[in-house]
Amino acid sequence: MTLPVLLPYRPPPPRGRLDDRGLAFAAFAVLMVAGAAHAQSGAATESVLAAIWKWVPLISTGFGLNILISVIAMGVGTVLGLALGLCQISLLPPVRVGSWFLTQFFRNAPWLVLLFYCIFMLPFRVTVLGQTHEVPNWLRATIGLTLPVMANVSEIVRGAVQSLPKGQWEAAESLAFSRFQTLWQVILPQCVKRMLPPWMNLYAILIMSTPLASIVGVEEAMTLTRGALNAERRGDLLIPMYGALLLAFFAYCWPIARLTRLLEARNNVRL
Amino acid sequence: MTPLVSIQDVHKRFGETTVLSGMSLDVRKGEVICIIGPSGSGKSTLLRCVNALVRPERGRITVSGIEVTAPRLDPIALRRRVGMVFQQYNLFPHRTALQNVMMAPISVLKQERREVEARARALLAKVRLQGKEDSYPGELSGGQQQRVAIARSLCMQPEVMLFDEVTAALDPETVKEVLVTIRELAEEGMTCLLVTHEMGFAREVADHVYFTDRGVIVEHGPPAEFFTAPRDARTREFLGKLL
């Protein structure tokens, strides 16, 4: 008779090499776009691929704006979120409650609604030192996306800090570290490793959300693609053009997702 | 001579649970005091009250002239004088052994790096960890980590050291290397307050042994007396289970 015993944990067998799978994805996408293009191109004046190729430079500048929006929103959102997250673990109850509320509010709001809210709430022009500056649409949209990023980073920070063993605080305290020194020298350095994967994940979600800005008229890749389609007035271009846009986002996001997974796996080994 | 650490009638509750109900003890300079007792008897909490990691509700504690129980205590001034070593070592895993030892004197005491480094290296050598200066805590055994933790506390040049069941999480074979280190420290005249389950160690090294149960000190005395002729029934029962 065999006794019921717990089998030791075995890691899953390694899957195919990353490059192979990446290639597979790319091949699939190209086939998808080209296939759709072929099926829909009749005796049209210009081949579909040529039509897309013509618009690539313009739409690329739009994609550049998507990246710019995401980088600014992520950068500013991270700085604000770090501060807000640290406020969430403050010893002062009003600070703690206030920052908790802000975090919850912006974390549980639809991004699109926040975007609309900021587009209409923020001023169209500001006067600095007697000079009036237009606030471009894309900048207001960026601010709208910064708010949810801030709230999510705030939660990532709070979670990471609270996931550290209490003994780390006690050890630092008993060595006469102040609370600030403890945070800065002991707690946060250990948190960075824990925060990195969720933070990168958040960035991937953010860049994928930037086309939302097209709804409020920001001239990013999505808006420009729609504009190009309007200019072409060719039904057979619809699917290939949007397919190409999907491909561009995929090419940008997928390496980030892989890197996140890689970091997560490495952290799991070390913990 | 006034005691270096004086604990008078300390009370502490966590919610509904009373952990300390009136404990008093004194530690004179250079003395080694061992507190023993069943788990949950409040001995660790008492130790944590001494460096203000836990604030008691009632009672008075003074350490080297600092009133720990004062409402406006400066905890940093207190903790410069009191070193503490924990059961779980609590080394900072992102720093090497040497950096762990050097951090507090540089950041808190603002001492000069070169001087601190020399002292830290000497302390690591003293706890027999020469060659491990650049190892990260994760690369060290439990006993080695605990000795780094001792060196880390000593580098602050405290007047009294608190040891909170420092060998309880260790393998039996590494317990000894840590106890040897503490014993050497005691022999050099360091004032030590230990919570421990190591009866043999308490018997050999302690100047005075306290037995706690359910938040009070049941019995205390010099180890020779305490271990050979315990007066209280609870002490006898506890020692009977262990010895």
Side-chain angles (χ1 to χ4, degrees):
Chain A
M1 198 187 94
T2 52
L3 290 167
V5 288
L6 268 177
L7 288 171
Y9 172 75
R10 284 184 215 290
R15 288 178 291 181
R17 286 198 349 150
L18 298 183
D19 305 334
D20 299 347
R21 290 201 291 153
L23 280 177
F25 268 123
F28 163 76
V30 168
L31 278 178
M32 201 177 73
V33 174
H38 181 72
Q40 295 181 358
S41 66
T45 49
E46 193 179 19
S47 89
V48 168
L49 285 178
I52 294 178
W53 188 246
K54 195 175 65 192
W55 289 104
V56 162
L58 180 70
I59 295 175
S60 294
T61 59
F63 197 73
L65 185 58
N66 287 75
I67 294 176
L68 183 69
I69 290 174
S70 71
V71 168
I72 295 176
M74 198 66 195
V76 178
T78 299
V79 172
L80 294 177
L82 196 63
L84 197 62
L86 292 179
C87 287
Q88 280 204 84
I89 52 165
S90 162
L91 293 178
L92 303 170
V95 175
R96 204 166 54 226
V97 172
S99 56
W100 174 84
F101 178 78
L102 269 181
T103 303
Q104 293 304 319
F105 184 79
F106 286 118
R107 222 167 84 91
N108 294 292
W111 291 27
L112 185 58
V113 180
L114 280 176
L115 208 57
F116 268 80
Y117 188 74
C118 281
I119 288 286
F120 296 117
M121 184 199 71
L122 295 172
F124 287 83
R125 48 185 72 82
V126 288
T127 308
V128 182
L129 301 172
Q131 276 200 312
T132 305
H133 300 272
E134 291 276 327
V135 182
N137 241 0
W138 70 267
L139 194 58
R140 282 181 289 149
T142 305
I143 295 169
L145 290 174
T146 301
L147 294 174
V149 169
M150 170 191 79
N152 279 285
V153 170
S154 169
E155 274 300 273
I156 291 172
V157 170
R158 187 193 58 81
V161 168
Q162 290 182 346
S163 75
L164 285 187
K166 221 176 104 219
Q168 292 290 310
W169 284 95
E170 288 186 337
E173 272 179 61
S174 67
L175 286 167
F177 279 102
S178 68
R179 196 171 162 82
F180 180 78
Q181 285 171 325
T182 304
L183 262 177
W184 205 244
Q185 296 184 35
V186 176
I187 303 298
L188 286 181
Q190 295 185 60
C191 285
V192 169
K193 215 170 66 184
R194 287 164 196 244
M195 291 189 297
L196 208 52
W199 183 80
M200 287 169 61
N201 206 18
L202 180 62
Y203 179 70
I205 295 172
L206 172 65
I207 181 79
M208 289 188 275
S209 306
T210 50
L212 288 176
S214 72
I215 302 176
V216 290
V218 176
E219 301 230 307
E220 47 70 71
M222 182 73 180
T223 311
L224 292 177
T225 303
R226 215 162 42 205
L229 284 167
N230 283 343
E232 289 280 350
R233 297 182 168 280
R234 277 174 58 181
D236 61 330
L237 275 182
L238 269 171
I239 294 174
M241 282 281 254
Y242 283 123
L245 186 60
L246 277 178
L247 206 61
F249 273 101
F250 177 79
Y252 188 76
C253 291
W254 192 70
I256 299 173
R258 291 310 309 168
L259 193 60
T260 310
R261 277 276 299 148
L262 216 68
L263 284 175
E264 265 172 358
R266 203 197 300 164
N267 284 0
N268 284 344
V269 171
R270 287 195 96 189
L271 284 174
Chain B
M1 193 171 92
T2 53
L4 187 61
V5 178
S6 160
I7 302 171
Q8 288 162 36
D9 194 34
V10 165
H11 292 249
K12 178 68 192 175
R13 251 202 321 262
F14 289 117
E16 293 289 291
T17 327
T18 303
V19 188
L20 304 176
S21 34
M23 283 199 187
S24 304
L25 67 84
D26 284 345
V27 187
R28 282 188 294 275
K29 193 168 163 35
E31 254 186 344
V32 177
I33 303 289
C34 283
I35 307 173
I36 62 172
S39 32
S41 64
K43 44 196 198 310
S44 283
T45 307
L46 184 70
L47 214 58
R48 278 152 190 267
C49 285
V50 174
N51 76 344
L53 282 180
V54 171
R55 307 300 297 265
E57 275 112 34
R58 248 175 69 198
R60 188 162 181 270
I61 301 174
T62 57
V63 175
S64 172
I66 297 177
E67 194 161 338
V68 182
T69 39
R72 299 187 65 89
L73 166 76
D74 174 6
I76 294 179
L78 168 72
R79 289 169 185 153
R80 287 175 174 205
R81 293 185 165 82
V82 183
M84 183 154 190
V85 185
F86 299 85
Q87 182 177 344
Q88 297 297 341
Y89 340 127
N90 296 343
L91 292 181
F92 306 133
H94 60 300
R95 296 294 186 96
T96 64
L98 184 66
Q99 288 169 341
N100 262 279
V101 179
M102 290 172 62
M103 268 169 89
I106 290 176
S107 307
V108 178
L109 304 179
K110 313 283 180 214
Q111 290 173 345
E112 208 197 328
R113 172 173 288 272
R114 216 165 343 133
E115 177 200 325
V116 173
E117 182 171 340
R119 197 165 74 228
R121 285 185 186 279
L123 280 168
L124 282 174
K126 183 180 149 132
V127 297
R128 298 183 186 78
L129 285 173
Q130 249 157 337
K132 298 286 183 190
E133 288 87 354
D134 297 324
S135 302
Y136 283 89
E139 299 162 351
L140 300 172
S141 74
Q144 291 171 330
Q145 289 191 53
Q146 195 58 292
R147 282 179 285 152
V148 174
I150 293 172
R152 181 173 72 172
S153 277
L154 289 175
C155 205
M156 291 288 282
Q157 299 173 307
E159 292 172 35
V160 54
M161 287 284 287
L162 310 176
F163 295 90
D164 187 7
E165 298 195 34
V166 292
T167 57
L170 297 177
D171 298 329
E173 56 266 35
T174 54
V175 166
K176 211 175 143 200
E177 59 191 47
V178 172
L179 291 182
V180 166
T181 301
I182 300 175
R183 159 180 274 199
E184 285 173 358
L185 213 57
E187 282 164 0
E188 288 166 19
M190 174 59 79
T191 312
C192 298
L193 188 52
L194 296 97
V195 166
T196 184
H197 289 295
E198 298 291 332
M199 296 305 144
F201 178 81
R203 193 173 198 155
E204 287 171 43
V205 180
D207 295 305
H208 214 82
V209 179
Y210 286 78
F211 175 70
T212 60
D213 191 21
R214 286 174 230 153
V216 294
I217 289 166
V218 176
E219 181 169 356
H220 65 94
E225 214 173 281
F226 178 88
F227 284 105
T228 47
R231 279 159 294 167
D232 193 276
R234 274 189 281 178
T235 319
R236 280 199 293 270
E237 193 197 330
F238 180 76
L239 291 176
K241 274 189 226 153
L242 282 169
L243 299 176

